[in-house]
Each structure stands twice: as structure tokens, then as C-alpha cells.
Amino acid sequence: MRRADRLFLIINALRGRRTALPARQLASTLEVSLRTVYRDVADLQLSGVPIEGEAGVGYLLRKGSDIPPLMFSADELEALVAGTRFVRAFAGERLAREAQAALIKIEAVLPPELREKSAQSRIFAPIWRDPFQNHIAMMLDRLHEAVLARRVLCLDYRDAEGRSSTREVEPLCLSFWGGAWTLGTWCRHRQAFRNFRPDRIADCRDAGETFPDLPGRNLEAYLETMRGHYAGLE
């Protein structure tokens, strides 16, 4: 379990309690050591969460300062559900999995009537996976990882006319246009910003280097260029 998830669950376990919750019970629930619970609680206290108690006694939220549960309107909640469903249907597997996990956490602290509203949303994005769609989902995961790590990529690419080329690019972002994804890059071959469609990438290889955040060829400059004019798809 990720540390952020543990901290969330600790706060949720203490919410609304009138008696102290023993650290040993928290450790058992979270399947971690007592030392980990002590450290996590101490970090939450240092960050300003009003937790009282100590090791060997137990913990509870300071009286009168209970942290209220997350609250959304029915329309806000439907937007979150719809967004999660679209991500599951059209994004890579990793992002889809994390979006669903986030929604589960939100629903865990909702009042029953709003939790029921969440389940009744009538906005759907059916998930359809054939071998090609599975390939695109895996490609999106690889491209997303490269964007986050600033890893230079070598792309074997086919343009709209079917012409093949190999490009060395600095991946800056992924964008979804409703019908297709694009990878926004600084293309070292063209020495300019270029957009590439993941469904036209035949192969994607790590070039074995990372790239710096250079003015004029970074994400900020890319977005400014895209706002100024539509560069088109290679």
C-alpha cells in the first residue's frame, strides 16, 4: 500500500470516533508495523492534522475539530463518475486503474444517498478492447511514463499517407481530442514541435537519455505554440 493511501485511511479511521483507536488495531488493519503507524501519525500531526494521543494509548481527532467528509453535489459527483469512465475507456491501463481507485476512495467517505447517486449515473463510456486497442493502451502507458520521466524516445512512425520515418523526440505531453490521442513533442529531426498519433507509432524505443527543461522547447513553449496556430499532425 502506498504511503499516501495509508495516511488517507488513518484519517478516515479516526473520523467521528469518541474513543481512542489503538495503534495496534491500526497496524493490523493497514497490515503494517507499529513503528510505521507511529511514524505516519507523527507526520500527520506535524502537517497540522489535529490528532491527539500517543503510542501505547491510542489516537483520536481533537474534540471539536473533526475533519468533515468530502462533500459533492449530485452534479459534481456525476462529473467525477463520467470522467472516470471516460479515462477507463480511452486512456492507458495505468491511468484508468488509478482513476478508478481514486473514485473508490471518494465514494468511501460519501453519505449513503450520494453514494447511491454515484452508482446511478447514466453517462457511460463502454470499454471495448480488441488486440489493437490493447496495443494502444500499452503504448499510451509507455508514452505517459516517458513524458513523466523526460526520456528521449525513438519512434518508428507512419504519417497519414502511410510514409514511414524514424524520429528522435522529447515527449512533452499527451492530449486527447475526442477521437484520437496525440503525443506532443520537440522533434530533434525537425528542430520544431510536432504532434504524433500513438495509433500510428509502429515502435517506440528508449533512446537511453533524458532531456532538460530548456526554454523555447519545453512544455510551456509547446502550449504557447499550439495556442498560436494549429501545427497539424505528422
Side-chain angles (χ1 to χ4, degrees):
M1 182 185 297
R2 295 180 305 180
R3 183 170 180 274
D5 296 336
R6 290 201 314 272
L7 299 181
F8 173 87
L9 292 173
I10 288 172
I11 294 174
N12 198 46
L14 297 177
R15 180 178 287 117
R17 288 187 63 91
R18 296 184 178 180
T19 59
L21 179 63
R24 189 172 299 279
Q25 184 175 334
L26 272 173
S28 176
T29 300
L30 300 174
E31 298 182 341
V32 296
S33 67
L34 275 173
R35 178 176 296 181
T36 297
V37 170
Y38 296 153
R39 184 175 62 246
D40 286 348
V41 170
D43 288 344
L44 286 169
Q45 290 171 325
L46 286 173
S47 68
V49 179
I51 297 176
E52 293 184 336
E54 58 186 26
V57 177
Y59 302 101
L60 74 166
L61 290 172
R62 187 178 304 129
K63 187 176 181 180
S65 59
D66 187 20
I67 299 173
L70 291 174
M71 188 61 65
F72 299 97
S73 69
D75 289 341
E76 290 170 339
L77 187 58
E78 185 165 37
L80 287 171
V81 173
T84 300
R85 289 176 177 175
F86 276 102
V87 169
R88 289 181 61 199
F90 300 112
E93 294 293 341
R94 182 181 123 187
L95 195 59
R97 186 171 56 249
E98 297 302 326
Q100 182 64 19
L103 185 61
I104 289 172
K105 290 179 183 177
I106 291 171
E107 290 178 335
V109 295
L110 288 174
E113 64 273 13
L114 279 181
R115 193 177 305 129
E116 187 175 344
K117 284 281 187 182
S118 171
Q120 292 175 349
S121 174
R122 298 196 178 189
I123 297 178
F124 298 98
I127 299 174
W128 179 65
R129 290 280 195 263
D130 61 11
F132 180 70
Q133 292 297 329
N134 287 332
H135 167 74
I136 296 302
M138 289 188 291
M139 178 65 71
L140 287 171
D141 281 344
R142 292 180 63 186
L143 297 176
H144 188 199
E145 290 174 3
V147 168
L148 294 177
R150 293 183 177 175
R151 291 201 303 267
V152 178
L153 295 176
C154 289
L155 307 180
D156 290 339
Y157 192 73
R158 299 183 311 274
D159 65 15
E161 282 71 44
R163 295 170 299 197
S164 298
S165 63
T166 298
R167 302 292 185 89
E168 191 171 88
V169 302
E170 299 172 7
L172 301 172
C173 66
L174 282 164
S175 301
F176 184 63
W177 298 84
W181 284 91
T182 59
L183 175 70
T185 76
W186 174 264
C187 178
R188 290 182 170 181
H189 176 70
R190 298 290 189 187
Q191 285 295 294
F193 295 117
R194 288 293 186 269
N195 296 313
F196 297 92
R197 284 181 44 160
D199 58 339
R200 294 177 183 166
I201 297 175
D203 191 28
C204 169
R205 300 179 299 280
D206 192 331
E209 64 174 297
T210 59
F211 59 92
D213 187 38
L214 296 176
R217 57 193 282 181
N218 57 12
L219 178 60
E220 182 180 1
Y222 167 84
L223 294 174
E224 186 64 30
T225 300
M226 293 301 107
R227 280 192 288 265
H229 67 277
Y230 180 58
L233 300 180
E234 286 277 323

mmCIF file of all heavy atoms in Angstrom, residues 69-103:
data_model
loop_
_atom_site.group_PDB
_atom_site.id
_atom_site.type_symbol
_atom_site.label_atom_id
_atom_site.label_comp_id
_atom_site.label_asym_id
_atom_site.label_seq_id
_atom_site.Cartn_x
_atom_site.Cartn_y
_atom_site.Cartn_z
ATOM 1 N N PRO A 69 -16.263 15.068 6.155
ATOM 2 C CA PRO A 69 -16.100 14.199 4.991
ATOM 3 C C PRO A 69 -16.157 15.019 3.713
ATOM 4 O O PRO A 69 -16.670 16.128 3.677
ATOM 5 C CB PRO A 69 -17.311 13.246 5.089
ATOM 6 C CG PRO A 69 -18.332 14.011 5.854
ATOM 7 C CD PRO A 69 -17.545 14.840 6.846
ATOM 8 N N LEU A 70 -15.593 14.432 2.652
ATOM 9 C CA LEU A 70 -15.685 15.088 1.355
ATOM 10 C C LEU A 70 -17.152 15.243 0.985
ATOM 11 O O LEU A 70 -17.959 14.348 1.213
ATOM 12 C CB LEU A 70 -14.980 14.236 0.291
ATOM 13 C CG LEU A 70 -13.468 14.127 0.391
ATOM 14 C CD1 LEU A 70 -12.967 13.126 -0.643
ATOM 15 C CD2 LEU A 70 -12.810 15.472 0.186
ATOM 16 N N MET A 71 -17.511 16.373 0.431
ATOM 17 C CA MET A 71 -18.894 16.612 0.070
ATOM 18 C C MET A 71 -18.964 17.142 -1.355
ATOM 19 O O MET A 71 -18.235 18.051 -1.730
ATOM 20 C CB MET A 71 -19.534 17.618 1.038
ATOM 21 C CG MET A 71 -21.035 17.747 0.830
ATOM 22 S SD MET A 71 -21.900 16.175 1.105
ATOM 23 C CE MET A 71 -21.597 15.932 2.852
ATOM 24 N N PHE A 72 -19.831 16.546 -2.137
ATOM 25 C CA PHE A 72 -20.039 16.974 -3.509
ATOM 26 C C PHE A 72 -21.527 17.095 -3.758
ATOM 27 O O PHE A 72 -22.330 16.403 -3.138
ATOM 28 C CB PHE A 72 -19.462 15.945 -4.501
ATOM 29 C CG PHE A 72 -17.991 15.716 -4.367
ATOM 30 C CD1 PHE A 72 -17.500 14.651 -3.624
ATOM 31 C CD2 PHE A 72 -17.085 16.553 -4.991
ATOM 32 C CE1 PHE A 72 -16.145 14.436 -3.500
ATOM 33 C CE2 PHE A 72 -15.723 16.340 -4.876
ATOM 34 C CZ PHE A 72 -15.252 15.284 -4.134
ATOM 35 N N SER A 73 -21.875 17.950 -4.712
ATOM 36 C CA SER A 73 -23.260 17.983 -5.160
ATOM 37 C C SER A 73 -23.478 16.778 -6.069
ATOM 38 O O SER A 73 -22.523 16.145 -6.541
ATOM 39 C CB SER A 73 -23.544 19.280 -5.929
ATOM 40 O OG SER A 73 -22.849 19.282 -7.169
ATOM 41 N N ALA A 74 -24.743 16.465 -6.344
ATOM 42 C CA ALA A 74 -25.040 15.336 -7.223
ATOM 43 C C ALA A 74 -24.442 15.549 -8.608
ATOM 44 O O ALA A 74 -23.923 14.616 -9.227
ATOM 45 C CB ALA A 74 -26.550 15.129 -7.318
ATOM 46 N N ASP A 75 -24.471 16.794 -9.110
ATOM 47 C CA ASP A 75 -23.913 17.087 -10.437
ATOM 48 C C ASP A 75 -22.394 16.952 -10.441
ATOM 49 O O ASP A 75 -21.808 16.436 -11.401
ATOM 50 C CB ASP A 75 -24.302 18.489 -10.875
ATOM 51 C CG ASP A 75 -25.785 18.603 -11.229
ATOM 52 O OD1 ASP A 75 -26.403 17.550 -11.473
ATOM 53 O OD2 ASP A 75 -26.303 19.729 -11.260
ATOM 54 N N GLU A 76 -21.734 17.415 -9.356
ATOM 55 C CA GLU A 76 -20.275 17.280 -9.262
ATOM 56 C C GLU A 76 -19.873 15.812 -9.237
ATOM 57 O O GLU A 76 -18.897 15.399 -9.887
ATOM 58 C CB GLU A 76 -19.766 17.985 -8.010
ATOM 59 C CG GLU A 76 -19.847 19.502 -8.072
ATOM 60 C CD GLU A 76 -19.565 20.155 -6.736
ATOM 61 O OE1 GLU A 76 -19.686 19.476 -5.685
ATOM 62 O OE2 GLU A 76 -19.237 21.352 -6.721
ATOM 63 N N LEU A 77 -20.636 15.021 -8.494
ATOM 64 C CA LEU A 77 -20.318 13.600 -8.385
ATOM 65 C C LEU A 77 -20.510 12.899 -9.723
ATOM 66 O O LEU A 77 -19.694 12.057 -10.120
ATOM 67 C CB LEU A 77 -21.197 12.956 -7.315
ATOM 68 C CG LEU A 77 -20.861 11.505 -6.963
ATOM 69 C CD1 LEU A 77 -19.426 11.396 -6.480
ATOM 70 C CD2 LEU A 77 -21.810 10.991 -5.902
ATOM 71 N N GLU A 78 -21.569 13.260 -10.453
ATOM 72 C CA GLU A 78 -21.785 12.640 -11.757
ATOM 73 C C GLU A 78 -20.647 12.987 -12.717
ATOM 74 O O GLU A 78 -20.230 12.168 -13.530
ATOM 75 C CB GLU A 78 -23.124 13.075 -12.344
ATOM 76 C CG GLU A 78 -23.442 12.341 -13.645
ATOM 77 C CD GLU A 78 -24.882 12.462 -14.064
ATOM 78 O OE1 GLU A 78 -25.466 13.547 -13.865
ATOM 79 O OE2 GLU A 78 -25.426 11.477 -14.602
ATOM 80 N N ALA A 79 -20.131 14.221 -12.609
ATOM 81 C CA ALA A 79 -18.998 14.611 -13.444
ATOM 82 C C ALA A 79 -17.772 13.757 -13.133
ATOM 83 O O ALA A 79 -17.039 13.334 -14.043
ATOM 84 C CB ALA A 79 -18.682 16.091 -13.244
ATOM 85 N N LEU A 80 -17.533 13.490 -11.840
ATOM 86 C CA LEU A 80 -16.403 12.648 -11.455
ATOM 87 C C LEU A 80 -16.569 11.227 -11.976
ATOM 88 O O LEU A 80 -15.622 10.621 -12.488
ATOM 89 C CB LEU A 80 -16.266 12.619 -9.931
ATOM 90 C CG LEU A 80 -15.724 13.883 -9.270
ATOM 91 C CD1 LEU A 80 -15.856 13.795 -7.754
ATOM 92 C CD2 LEU A 80 -14.275 14.101 -9.646
ATOM 93 N N VAL A 81 -17.780 10.687 -11.846
ATOM 94 C CA VAL A 81 -18.044 9.328 -12.331
ATOM 95 C C VAL A 81 -17.855 9.262 -13.843
ATOM 96 O O VAL A 81 -17.204 8.351 -14.367
ATOM 97 C CB VAL A 81 -19.467 8.874 -11.943
ATOM 98 C CG1 VAL A 81 -19.804 7.537 -12.597
ATOM 99 C CG2 VAL A 81 -19.590 8.753 -10.430
ATOM 100 N N ALA A 82 -18.418 10.247 -14.558
ATOM 101 C CA ALA A 82 -18.291 10.254 -16.016
ATOM 102 C C ALA A 82 -16.829 10.368 -16.430
ATOM 103 O O ALA A 82 -16.373 9.669 -17.348
ATOM 104 C CB ALA A 82 -19.103 11.411 -16.606
ATOM 105 N N GLY A 83 -16.078 11.245 -15.741
ATOM 106 C CA GLY A 83 -14.666 11.392 -16.064
ATOM 107 C C GLY A 83 -13.896 10.103 -15.865
ATOM 108 O O GLY A 83 -13.060 9.726 -16.694
ATOM 109 N N THR A 84 -14.192 9.403 -14.774
ATOM 110 C CA THR A 84 -13.532 8.128 -14.508
ATOM 111 C C THR A 84 -13.848 7.112 -15.590
ATOM 112 O O THR A 84 -12.970 6.382 -16.060
ATOM 113 C CB THR A 84 -13.965 7.585 -13.143
ATOM 114 O OG1 THR A 84 -13.602 8.507 -12.128
ATOM 115 C CG2 THR A 84 -13.305 6.239 -12.852
ATOM 116 N N ARG A 85 -15.097 7.068 -16.022
ATOM 117 C CA ARG A 85 -15.492 6.110 -17.053
ATOM 118 C C ARG A 85 -14.825 6.421 -18.387
ATOM 119 O O ARG A 85 -14.404 5.510 -19.110
ATOM 120 C CB ARG A 85 -17.014 6.104 -17.190
ATOM 121 C CG ARG A 85 -17.699 5.464 -15.991
ATOM 122 C CD ARG A 85 -19.220 5.541 -16.075
ATOM 123 N NE ARG A 85 -19.839 4.850 -14.929
ATOM 124 C CZ ARG A 85 -21.144 4.832 -14.682
ATOM 125 N NH1 ARG A 85 -21.980 5.457 -15.499
ATOM 126 N NH2 ARG A 85 -21.613 4.183 -13.628
ATOM 127 N N PHE A 86 -14.694 7.697 -18.724
ATOM 128 C CA PHE A 86 -14.016 8.052 -19.966
ATOM 129 C C PHE A 86 -12.532 7.689 -19.902
ATOM 130 O O PHE A 86 -11.958 7.219 -20.890
ATOM 131 C CB PHE A 86 -14.192 9.539 -20.254
ATOM 132 C CG PHE A 86 -15.487 9.869 -20.944
ATOM 133 C CD1 PHE A 86 -16.548 10.400 -20.243
ATOM 134 C CD2 PHE A 86 -15.657 9.621 -22.301
ATOM 135 C CE1 PHE A 86 -17.758 10.694 -20.876
ATOM 136 C CE2 PHE A 86 -16.849 9.905 -22.950
ATOM 137 C CZ PHE A 86 -17.905 10.451 -22.222
ATOM 138 N N VAL A 87 -11.905 7.921 -18.751
ATOM 139 C CA VAL A 87 -10.496 7.562 -18.606
ATOM 140 C C VAL A 87 -10.321 6.054 -18.742
ATOM 141 O O VAL A 87 -9.404 5.570 -19.411
ATOM 142 C CB VAL A 87 -9.949 8.065 -17.251
ATOM 143 C CG1 VAL A 87 -8.565 7.469 -16.973
ATOM 144 C CG2 VAL A 87 -9.847 9.580 -17.247
ATOM 145 N N ARG A 88 -11.208 5.288 -18.092
ATOM 146 C CA ARG A 88 -11.116 3.818 -18.189
ATOM 147 C C ARG A 88 -11.277 3.344 -19.615
ATOM 148 O O ARG A 88 -10.654 2.367 -20.032
ATOM 149 C CB ARG A 88 -12.190 3.174 -17.307
ATOM 150 C CG ARG A 88 -11.934 3.305 -15.812
ATOM 151 C CD ARG A 88 -13.039 2.620 -15.033
ATOM 152 N NE ARG A 88 -13.098 1.206 -15.353
ATOM 153 C CZ ARG A 88 -14.168 0.443 -15.112
ATOM 154 N NH1 ARG A 88 -15.251 0.962 -14.565
ATOM 155 N NH2 ARG A 88 -14.141 -0.829 -15.394
ATOM 156 N N ALA A 89 -12.134 4.027 -20.391
ATOM 157 C CA ALA A 89 -12.412 3.580 -21.756
ATOM 158 C C ALA A 89 -11.330 3.981 -22.747
ATOM 159 O O ALA A 89 -11.035 3.234 -23.687
ATOM 160 C CB ALA A 89 -13.770 4.134 -22.210
ATOM 161 N N PHE A 90 -10.723 5.173 -22.549
ATOM 162 C CA PHE A 90 -9.871 5.718 -23.600
ATOM 163 C C PHE A 90 -8.406 5.910 -23.228
ATOM 164 O O PHE A 90 -7.575 6.108 -24.117
ATOM 165 C CB PHE A 90 -10.433 7.063 -24.077
ATOM 166 C CG PHE A 90 -11.825 6.949 -24.643
ATOM 167 C CD1 PHE A 90 -12.895 7.524 -23.980
ATOM 168 C CD2 PHE A 90 -12.066 6.257 -25.812
ATOM 169 C CE1 PHE A 90 -14.192 7.421 -24.488
ATOM 170 C CE2 PHE A 90 -13.354 6.142 -26.332
ATOM 171 C CZ PHE A 90 -14.416 6.728 -25.663
ATOM 172 N N ALA A 91 -8.072 5.892 -21.930
ATOM 173 C CA ALA A 91 -6.682 6.120 -21.531
ATOM 174 C C ALA A 91 -5.919 4.804 -21.463
ATOM 175 O O ALA A 91 -6.459 3.734 -21.740
ATOM 176 C CB ALA A 91 -6.627 6.839 -20.182
ATOM 177 N N GLY A 92 -4.656 4.897 -21.078
ATOM 178 C CA GLY A 92 -3.853 3.702 -20.866
ATOM 179 C C GLY A 92 -4.323 2.949 -19.628
ATOM 180 O O GLY A 92 -5.086 3.479 -18.804
ATOM 181 N N GLU A 93 -3.857 1.729 -19.488
ATOM 182 C CA GLU A 93 -4.309 0.888 -18.379
ATOM 183 C C GLU A 93 -3.933 1.490 -17.027
ATOM 184 O O GLU A 93 -4.714 1.449 -16.080
ATOM 185 C CB GLU A 93 -3.701 -0.513 -18.509
ATOM 186 C CG GLU A 93 -4.197 -1.291 -19.722
ATOM 187 C CD GLU A 93 -5.665 -1.653 -19.615
ATOM 188 O OE1 GLU A 93 -6.187 -1.637 -18.494
ATOM 189 O OE2 GLU A 93 -6.283 -1.925 -20.657
ATOM 190 N N ARG A 94 -2.737 2.052 -16.923
ATOM 191 C CA ARG A 94 -2.279 2.575 -15.631
ATOM 192 C C ARG A 94 -3.141 3.738 -15.164
ATOM 193 O O ARG A 94 -3.609 3.758 -14.019
ATOM 194 C CB ARG A 94 -0.822 3.025 -15.745
ATOM 195 C CG ARG A 94 -0.225 3.534 -14.444
ATOM 196 C CD ARG A 94 1.205 3.987 -14.647
ATOM 197 N NE ARG A 94 1.364 5.367 -14.235
ATOM 198 C CZ ARG A 94 2.464 6.077 -14.409
ATOM 199 N NH1 ARG A 94 3.494 5.534 -15.005
ATOM 200 N NH2 ARG A 94 2.542 7.301 -14.008
ATOM 201 N N LEU A 95 -3.385 4.699 -16.046
ATOM 202 C CA LEU A 95 -4.182 5.860 -15.667
ATOM 203 C C LEU A 95 -5.624 5.453 -15.385
ATOM 204 O O LEU A 95 -6.257 5.974 -14.453
ATOM 205 C CB LEU A 95 -4.139 6.901 -16.786
ATOM 206 C CG LEU A 95 -4.615 8.310 -16.419
ATOM 207 C CD1 LEU A 95 -3.776 8.882 -15.278
ATOM 208 C CD2 LEU A 95 -4.555 9.222 -17.630
ATOM 209 N N ALA A 96 -6.157 4.515 -16.151
ATOM 210 C CA ALA A 96 -7.515 4.032 -15.914
ATOM 211 C C ALA A 96 -7.629 3.381 -14.539
ATOM 212 O O ALA A 96 -8.604 3.601 -13.804
ATOM 213 C CB ALA A 96 -7.904 3.034 -17.007
ATOM 214 N N ARG A 97 -6.632 2.592 -14.183
ATOM 215 C CA ARG A 97 -6.643 1.916 -12.883
ATOM 216 C C ARG A 97 -6.581 2.922 -11.743
ATOM 217 O O ARG A 97 -7.306 2.796 -10.734
ATOM 218 C CB ARG A 97 -5.453 0.954 -12.823
ATOM 219 C CG ARG A 97 -5.414 0.077 -11.583
ATOM 220 C CD ARG A 97 -4.344 -0.981 -11.724
ATOM 221 N NE ARG A 97 -3.025 -0.422 -11.995
ATOM 222 C CZ ARG A 97 -2.386 -0.561 -13.157
ATOM 223 N NH1 ARG A 97 -2.935 -1.203 -14.162
ATOM 224 N NH2 ARG A 97 -1.181 -0.033 -13.329
ATOM 225 N N GLU A 98 -5.755 3.937 -11.872
ATOM 226 C CA GLU A 98 -5.619 4.938 -10.811
ATOM 227 C C GLU A 98 -6.871 5.803 -10.689
ATOM 228 O O GLU A 98 -7.257 6.199 -9.587
ATOM 229 C CB GLU A 98 -4.389 5.812 -11.065
ATOM 230 C CG GLU A 98 -3.068 5.055 -11.033
ATOM 231 C CD GLU A 98 -2.826 4.351 -9.711
ATOM 232 O OE1 GLU A 98 -3.230 4.875 -8.662
ATOM 233 O OE2 GLU A 98 -2.238 3.253 -9.734
ATOM 234 N N ALA A 99 -7.512 6.109 -11.814
ATOM 235 C CA ALA A 99 -8.748 6.894 -11.771
ATOM 236 C C ALA A 99 -9.840 6.129 -11.035
ATOM 237 O O ALA A 99 -10.580 6.701 -10.223
ATOM 238 C CB ALA A 99 -9.202 7.243 -13.193
ATOM 239 N N GLN A 100 -9.956 4.831 -11.291
ATOM 240 C CA GLN A 100 -10.955 4.020 -10.608
ATOM 241 C C GLN A 100 -10.649 3.934 -9.121
ATOM 242 O O GLN A 100 -11.567 4.005 -8.284
ATOM 243 C CB GLN A 100 -10.999 2.615 -11.227
ATOM 244 C CG GLN A 100 -12.047 1.697 -10.634
ATOM 245 C CD GLN A 100 -13.464 2.177 -10.859
ATOM 246 O OE1 GLN A 100 -13.705 3.002 -11.746
ATOM 247 N NE2 GLN A 100 -14.401 1.689 -10.066
ATOM 248 N N ALA A 101 -9.382 3.803 -8.748
ATOM 249 C CA ALA A 101 -9.003 3.745 -7.337
ATOM 250 C C ALA A 101 -9.354 5.051 -6.629
ATOM 251 O O ALA A 101 -9.817 5.045 -5.485
ATOM 252 C CB ALA A 101 -7.506 3.452 -7.212
ATOM 253 N N ALA A 102 -9.137 6.181 -7.311
ATOM 254 C CA ALA A 102 -9.466 7.471 -6.716
ATOM 255 C C ALA A 102 -10.962 7.592 -6.465
ATOM 256 O O ALA A 102 -11.394 8.093 -5.416
ATOM 257 C CB ALA A 102 -8.987 8.602 -7.630
ATOM 258 N N LEU A 103 -11.781 7.119 -7.422
ATOM 259 C CA LEU A 103 -13.232 7.199 -7.246
ATOM 260 C C LEU A 103 -13.690 6.323 -6.083
ATOM 261 O O LEU A 103 -14.598 6.707 -5.323
ATOM 262 C CB LEU A 103 -13.935 6.772 -8.537
ATOM 263 C CG LEU A 103 -15.455 6.914 -8.532
ATOM 264 C CD1 LEU A 103 -15.866 8.365 -8.315
ATOM 265 C CD2 LEU A 103 -16.048 6.395 -9.838
#
